[in-house]
Amino acid sequence: MAVGKVINLENMQDGRGSLISLESTQNIPFAIKRVYYLYDLKNDKPRGFHAHRELEQVIICVSGSCRLVLDDSIERQEIILDDPSKAAFIPKMVWREMYNFNNCVLMIIASEHYDPADYIHTYNDFSQEVTQSA
Ligand code: TYD
């Protein structure tokens, strides 16, 4: 059982280059409410280190590469994001960490508007909430 899911996006590639289309509730498995992107990332400055109670996300590395670690408090999964046609779906209640940014631009597709109250900021609180909801 994997924690997240890799989605292989269809690449419309021809002699001019590549094009990938993202469609709400089609190749993105939820209704899209928000898109944000991370750039100017530093190799030695990992990000994430939180979980979301309700938010679902798809992460796409549109340029460069990084390492994504997902953890549902039982299992840990590592996904190398190094291809714009490879997307990582992160379900709700999954702890995420991102490392080793190498010229990396990350686009994140989100199922909800930004809500600070949806964040769980410590791994201890996260694993306690998982246990309580079981
Ligand atoms: P943060 O969630 O810490 O980023 P990461 O998960 O990549 O480590 O967000 C960084 C800052 O940006 C924080 O002050 C919250 C703010 N923010 C928004 O205002 N809107 C958003 O949609 C997101 C994702 C973050």
Side-chain angles (χ1 to χ4, degrees):
M1 269 290 285
V3 181
K5 183 170 163 249
V6 171
I7 301 170
N8 294 307
L9 302 165
E10 188 186 356
N11 179 0
M12 260 66 72
Q13 190 175 30
D14 60 28
R16 301 167 299 166
S18 293
L19 184 155
I20 291 174
S21 166
L22 306 175
E23 296 200 39
S24 188
T25 73
Q26 303 294 307
N27 56 356
I28 300 299
F30 49 74
I32 298 170
K33 282 204 185 154
R34 177 167 54 113
V35 176
Y36 62 96
Y37 42 97
L38 304 176
Y39 62 101
D40 198 19
L41 299 164
K42 313 289 181 230
N43 188 273
D44 59 347
K45 296 270 191 295
R47 297 189 66 123
F49 298 89
H50 62 257
H52 289 283
R53 296 186 177 92
E54 295 301 329
L55 184 72
E56 297 180 322
Q57 290 176 309
V58 169
I59 300 194
I60 300 163
C61 181
V62 293
S63 186
S65 64
C66 74
R67 193 160 62 86
L68 172 67
V69 173
L70 302 178
D71 184 323
D72 61 5
S73 93
I74 294 165
E75 191 184 336
R76 238 168 137 78
Q77 177 186 12
E78 178 171 296
I79 299 172
I80 303 295
L81 293 175
D82 59 358
D83 179 343
S85 69
K86 179 174 167 184
F89 170 64
I90 308 180
K92 61 180 76 171
M93 289 304 280
V94 167
W95 182 264
R96 83 285 317 274
E97 300 169 3
M98 291 167 285
Y99 296 93
N100 301 132
F101 302 111
N102 182 12
N103 296 315
C104 181
V105 179
L106 288 176
M107 182 163 64
I108 292 109
I109 318 296
S111 66
E112 304 295 337
H113 295 298
Y114 177 61
D115 176 10
D118 189 59
Y119 279 67
I120 307 172
H121 288 289
T122 72
Y123 190 85
N124 195 37
D125 289 348
F126 164 65
S127 55
Q128 276 182 19
E129 285 199 31
V130 171
T131 308
Q132 281 158 14
S133 65

